[in-house]
């Protein structure tokens, strides 16, 4: 697939077919994605790739914490409450998803159900946890983890795979550490759901908006 086409066609996938992704395919996606740039080429990323019974166990354990109302405590905290244009964009994507999923604002039950699905990696057959050694924690590494995450998402497109980069499933890092065997010395940054998209799943129809370039770019001398 042409690069520009792949960039344009990538979108977050929130409904998957149950078919597991072959290990060789996951290895190709991840191996290629490690061509991503990283500050000083330190390659701070560590991947833990999950599927089968281990992933089922993790999904169950994360969901249990979520449904019990345990306060999320990820290694890297989410934004405090957003405001202005940022809040508007957040609300827009949330509204779009809820509309497609037929979840009314006041329907607490369905909202909780959606939250549980989200923490279960949207029931994807595979998931990738990206972590980093504490000794290289900091801006440059987190930036580099972003670069490898997007490269994974793009490489996945070439194999007709869908992904959703997700912060929600890493809300309870001790659960992931225990089940996926990630040592205490590593911080858990992000999860990526990966699998073959169920294209008839309503949320997968979402076309998230982007701010026009003119609103975010300032040009000088060009
Ligand atoms: C760092 C990061 C964290 C994210 N966490 C979540 C998440 O927890 N749940 C979710 O549904 N989407 C999550 N997303 C996906 C974004 O909502 C999505 O990328 C954005 O709305 C743009 O849509 P698109 O990916 O379809 O283009 C995350 C994306 C990034 C980059």
């Amino acid at each position: 697939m042409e690069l520009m086409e792949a960039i344009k066609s990538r979108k977050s996938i929130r409904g998957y077919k149950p078919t597991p992704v072959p290990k060789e395919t996951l290895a190709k996606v991840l191996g290629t994605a490690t061509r991503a740039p990283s500050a000083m080429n330190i390659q701070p990323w560590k991947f833990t790739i999950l599927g089968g019974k281990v992933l089922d166990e993790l999904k169950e354990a994360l969901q249990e914490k979520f449904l019990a109302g345990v306060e999320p405590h990820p290694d890297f905290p989410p934004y405090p409450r957003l405001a202005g244009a940022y809040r508007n964009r957040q609300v827009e994507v949330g509204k779009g998803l809820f509309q497609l999923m037929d979840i009314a604002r006041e329907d607490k039950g369905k909202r909780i159900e959606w939250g549980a699905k989200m923490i279960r990696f949207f029931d994807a057959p595979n998931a990738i946890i990206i972590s980093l050694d504490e000794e290289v924690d900091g801006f440059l590494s987190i930036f580099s983890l972003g670069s490898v995450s997007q490269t994974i998402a793009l490489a996945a497109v070439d194999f007709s795979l869908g992904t959703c980069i997700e912060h929600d499933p890493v809300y309870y890092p001790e659960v992931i550490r225990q089940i996926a065997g990630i040592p205490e010395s590593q911080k858990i940054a992000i999860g990526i759901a990966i699998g073959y998209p169920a294209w008839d799943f309503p949320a997968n129809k979402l076309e998230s908006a982007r701010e026009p370039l003119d609103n975010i770019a300032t040009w000088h001398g060009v």
Side-chain angles (χ1 to χ4, degrees):
M1 187 187 276
E2 289 301 321
L3 179 60
M4 293 300 260
E5 185 54 36
I7 293 170
K8 284 190 225 162
S9 65
R10 186 222 53 87
K11 51 152 66 179
S12 292
I13 293 298
R14 297 180 173 90
Y16 293 87
K17 293 179 181 160
T19 323
V21 184
K23 185 174 179 179
E24 310 79 67
T25 306
L26 289 167
K28 273 187 197 155
V29 167
L30 290 167
T32 308
T34 59
R35 296 307 306 170
S38 63
M40 291 164 254
N41 197 28
I42 75 153
Q43 305 162 61
W45 43 72
K46 305 249 189 225
F47 305 132
T48 304
I49 304 101
L50 303 169
K53 284 201 176 115
V54 184
L55 182 56
D56 288 346
E57 191 191 341
L58 179 63
K59 286 172 179 171
E60 190 65 34
L62 292 172
Q63 173 171 271
E64 201 179 302
K65 290 258 180 189
F66 171 76
L67 293 178
V70 178
E71 190 62 29
H73 44 266
D75 287 343
F76 297 96
Y79 294 118
R81 195 179 160 78
L82 295 168
Y86 301 114
R87 173 76 182 152
N88 293 343
R89 291 175 198 154
Q90 177 193 22
V91 168
E92 192 184 347
V93 84
K95 266 191 184 166
L97 280 171
F98 279 17
Q99 226 161 44
L100 286 164
M101 294 304 300
D102 197 22
I103 302 172
R105 205 178 137 73
E106 60 285 352
D107 192 335
K108 208 175 162 203
K110 275 193 176 177
R111 286 170 72 119
I112 290 174
E113 229 174 80
W114 181 252
K117 189 172 174 68
M118 183 145 66
I119 211 157
R120 295 193 315 260
F121 297 93
F122 293 111
D123 298 319
N126 293 96
I128 301 159
I129 307 292
I130 306 188
S131 54
L132 80 171
D133 280 323
E134 226 157 26
E135 67 193 273
V136 289
D137 179 14
F139 166 73
L140 291 176
S141 287
I142 296 301
F143 195 99
S144 305
L145 261 44
S147 111
V148 84
S149 298
Q150 165 71 340
T151 313
I152 291 170
L154 290 179
V157 171
D158 207 43
F159 290 89
S160 303
L161 287 165
T163 53
C164 188
I165 298 169
E166 283 192 84
H167 193 230
D168 266 56
V170 300
Y171 274 4
Y172 309 110
E174 75 285 3
V175 174
I176 301 182
R177 269 196 195 91
Q178 196 226 322
I179 294 174
I182 299 174
E184 286 287 334
S185 56
Q186 282 180 34
K187 286 192 161 186
I188 296 173
I190 204 86
I192 303 183
I194 186 163
Y196 299 98
W199 286 114
D200 55 349
F201 187 75
N204 289 345
K205 297 192 169 42
L206 185 75
E207 295 295 339
S208 59
R210 292 296 186 274
E211 201 67 26
L213 186 61
D214 282 349
N215 295 356
I216 52 162
T218 309
W219 305 74
H220 297 287
V222 275

